Structure formats: C-alpha cells, structure tokens
Amino acid sequence: DGILQRPEFKDYAETLVAAGSGQDYTFNLENGNTFVRTVTGSSIFTFSNPPVTGRVGSFTIILVNGASFPITWPNSVVWPNNISPTLQANTTSLADVITFFTLNGGTRWYGNLAIKKLAYAA
C-alpha cells in the first residue's frame, strides 16, 4: 500500500487467483486482481478488501459456466443501464469476462460484462 511515484514498467504480471468451483464465493482483492471461477450452482458473490476511498480498485472475473445457474451480485454493484448482464457461457469450455472497479472503498462497484463466450482453457 505504499506510493510509487513515476515508475516505469516494461513488463508486469498480475496474480491469477484460481478461485475453484462451487456456489457462493468471496472475491478477496488481497489475494489478487484476476479470478477464475467455475459456477456449479446458484451462487451469491461478495467482494472484500478493496482499496480505501480515494484510490481506485479494480478486478476481473473469468466466469466459467456462469449462464447455467443464477448469480446474486452484491447490492453495491452498479451495471450499465442498471441491468445485470445476461451471461452466455454455459459450458466448461467457454467463459464470460466481467470487470469491476470502485472509487470509494467498495461502497459502490461499477460492473461491466467485457467479453461473452470467451473460448477458455485453464
């Protein structure tokens, strides 16, 4: 949580969190900023440990099999036109990619379906 001023990165990587499979899950931003999650039933998702207010926090979910079951997103998520996305990937070889960012410590998350039906192989 320190400040780097004017760094230059030629190449960098983010931690990919293998978020396993199942139903309910908490996306903990202290573990990384990109998650792969396979849905196996109706799920309730929660988000934890965003950066504090005044800093931007963002993360990405690669959601496998998401269209097969209902997903409940946190009430703090705002979607374009206030409508949660219709997920398309309903097999284990396809994924939907969803991005989120917050400006106020997670009080409000802005969500967006970035890619539908991504051909995905772990």
Side-chain angles (χ1 to χ4, degrees):
D1 290 342
I3 294 175
L4 293 175
Q5 189 168 345
R6 299 184 61 160
E8 178 181 337
F9 297 101
K10 182 176 180 183
D11 187 18
Y12 86 102
E14 292 185 8
T15 299
L16 176 62
V17 179
S21 64
Q23 294 171 303
D24 301 349
Y25 187 78
T26 297
F27 295 92
N28 183 346
L29 274 64
E30 287 186 351
N31 294 333
N33 293 83
T34 304
F35 299 82
V36 176
R37 178 75 179 166
T38 300
V39 178
T40 61
S42 297
S43 300
I44 298 172
F45 290 160
T46 55
F47 308 154
S48 68
N49 296 309
V52 298
T53 296
R55 294 189 181 168
V56 178
S58 63
F59 71 102
T60 301
I61 300 172
I62 302 167
L63 192 60
V64 180
N65 208 28
S68 297
F69 304 99
I71 295 174
T72 301
W73 300 97
N75 290 333
S76 57
V77 175
V78 176
W79 300 101
N81 299 315
N82 292 319
I83 300 170
S84 62
T86 301
L87 301 175
Q88 298 296 316
N90 58 3
T91 72
T92 56
S93 63
L94 296 173
D96 293 313
V97 178
I98 306 164
T99 60
F100 297 90
F101 74 92
T102 184
L103 305 170
N104 55 15
T107 300
R108 176 169 288 168
W109 288 96
Y110 298 93
N112 185 54
L113 177 59
I115 303 173
K116 285 185 178 185
K117 290 187 175 182
L118 173 71
Y120 177 77

